[in-house]
Amino acid sequence: MMRIFFVFCLVVFPMILLAQNTISVHVNNVSSKKGKVNVAVYNSDEAFLSFEQVLTTESVQANEGSVVLKIANLPAGEYALAVFHDENDNGKLDTNWLGIPREKVAFSNAEMKTFGPPKYKECAFHITSDYIININL
């Protein structure tokens, strides 16, 4: 009986520690069905808004009104999201000559500021299980 318990602990305990979670990102106020809605997931201040250090990304065909993106296989931890509507579907965030986005952008838990994007800590949230977040473009 003790051996069965020991084997059970060896198998189940690591699975609990490495439990993977899904973030369901509900993006509202999508202006058209053109292009795609993209989300980038970051897990540190140093990586935030860096294309080279993004943890993972997901995209879905745009739909006027709202779309849902699912980010799977995330361990418990702190994350921040950046979302943009790539209306012309060219795979990048279009900006003007000053670097100001021409396409709609949004962030988890924060809004674009007058002089740039919010900081990681303003956007960050913590997950310990599956999580639903609403973001308005």
Side-chain angles (χ1 to χ4, degrees), residues 4 6 17 21 33 35 45 48-49 53 59 61 65 74 79-80 88 90 122 129-130 132:
I4 293 172
F6 181 71
L17 288 177
N21 306 291
K33 62 181 181 178
D45 186 40
F48 192 55
L49 302 183
Q53 297 183 42
S59 66
Q61 181 62 45
L74 294 172
Y79 299 96
N88 62 5
N90 67 352
E122 295 173 295
S129 62
D130 289 350
I132 297 173

Side-chain angles (χ1 to χ4, degrees), residues 10-130:
L10 280 176
V11 171
V12 173
F13 190 67
M15 290 172 59
I16 291 169
L17 288 177
L18 299 173
Q20 300 298 296
N21 306 291
T22 299
I23 299 174
S24 295
V25 185
H26 296 246
V27 181
N28 305 305
N29 300 331
V30 179
S31 60
S32 75
K33 62 181 181 178
K34 293 185 214 167
K36 291 191 169 95
V37 175
N38 301 297
V39 63
V41 180
Y42 299 92
N43 64 352
S44 73
D45 186 40
E46 299 77 32
F48 192 55
L49 302 183
S50 163
F51 291 112
E52 297 80 30
Q53 297 183 42
V54 66
L55 181 65
T56 189
T57 62
E58 191 61 56
S59 66
V60 67
Q61 181 62 45
N63 185 42
E64 190 171 346
S66 64
V67 297
V68 176
L69 297 101
K70 300 232 182 230
I71 311 298
N73 300 318
L74 294 172
E78 184 178 75
Y79 299 96
L81 308 177
V83 176
F84 80 95
H85 182 185
D86 183 14
E87 267 195 287
N88 62 5
D89 205 9
N90 67 352
K92 64 180 184 172
L93 175 63
D94 296 323
T95 60
N96 67 14
W97 63 276
L98 291 172
I100 298 170
R102 286 187 184 157
E103 297 172 305
K104 287 191 173 184
V105 297
F107 304 92
S108 51
N109 299 329
E111 294 182 12
M112 189 71 135
K113 297 179 178 182
T114 304
F115 297 105
K119 302 290 183 204
Y120 173 80
K121 284 295 182 188
E122 295 173 295
C123 300
F125 58 95
H126 193 81
I127 65 168
T128 56
S129 62
D130 289 350

